[in-house]
Amino acid sequence: FSFAGYARSDRTNWGSLRILNHNFLAPGASTVPQPLDHFDILQWVLRGRVGHVGTLGTSHLAQARHIQLITSGEGLVHADINPDKEEAEFLELRFPAPEGHGPAFRAVGQFPGKEDGGRWTLLASGRRDDHALLLRAPSRVW
């Protein structure tokens, strides 16, 4: 990936994935609010609880083993929050979504466990008939 002052044209795009971060959020902390438009944010909470605060209000919290989807629609302000007394850890993927893809929203799903027999499981998809968290981006996350 390219970021900040580091840029390589051969490392800018991995399909439709634009950002992949492994985040740690200190107890009681929040990230700096940032405006977003035409993006889907998919967060897999590994430890603790993580919530959204911004244009969509203060969300319910996604806890460990949950996947949180925030889609920005035509625009929203987003920050992550950790209300707990322990560090939160989560993976975050961001995908660009096409213009006119509808209003901003948030959804939470359960991350599948080992009971799936070691098979790949579809977590989120831009295809409504996949019956997964609905991305607005033309992508599928397994």
Side-chain angles (χ1 to χ4, degrees):
F1 292 101
S2 294
F3 56 91
Y6 173 77
R8 283 182 41 189
S9 61
D10 63 330
R11 309 229 3 122
T12 40
N13 295 318
W14 298 89
S16 63
L17 181 64
R18 290 298 177 267
I19 294 172
L20 171 60
N21 289 331
H22 186 178
N23 296 320
F24 297 87
L25 195 53
S30 65
T31 58
V32 175
Q34 60 181 305
L36 292 171
D37 61 359
H38 306 102
F39 262 90
D40 287 338
I41 304 168
L42 189 64
Q43 297 174 330
W44 174 16
V45 182
L46 303 171
R47 282 188 301 123
R49 298 184 303 162
V50 176
H52 158 84
V53 64
T55 305
L56 296 174
T58 301
S59 70
H60 296 312
L61 299 166
Q63 60 191 15
R65 298 191 44 77
H66 282 147
I67 300 165
Q68 174 170 241
L69 170 64
I70 300 162
T71 186
S72 67
E74 300 298 319
L76 63 74
V77 173
H78 168 74
D80 296 305
I81 58 170
N82 174 8
D84 295 333
K85 294 180 180 180
E86 296 180 14
E87 183 177 69
E89 178 182 5
F90 59 101
L91 297 176
E92 180 175 270
L93 296 87
R94 293 190 184 192
F95 304 90
E99 290 192 35
H101 71 278
F105 73 88
R106 178 186 173 271
V108 174
Q110 182 85 22
F111 190 80
K114 293 184 180 196
E115 64 275 2
D116 292 326
R119 294 176 304 187
W120 286 90
T121 302
L122 186 62
L123 304 176
S125 174
R127 300 178 186 178
R128 188 174 300 275
D129 58 338
D130 276 339
H131 305 290
L133 285 175
L134 184 60
L135 294 170
R136 299 292 175 84
S139 304
R140 298 169 95 194
V141 179
W142 294 87

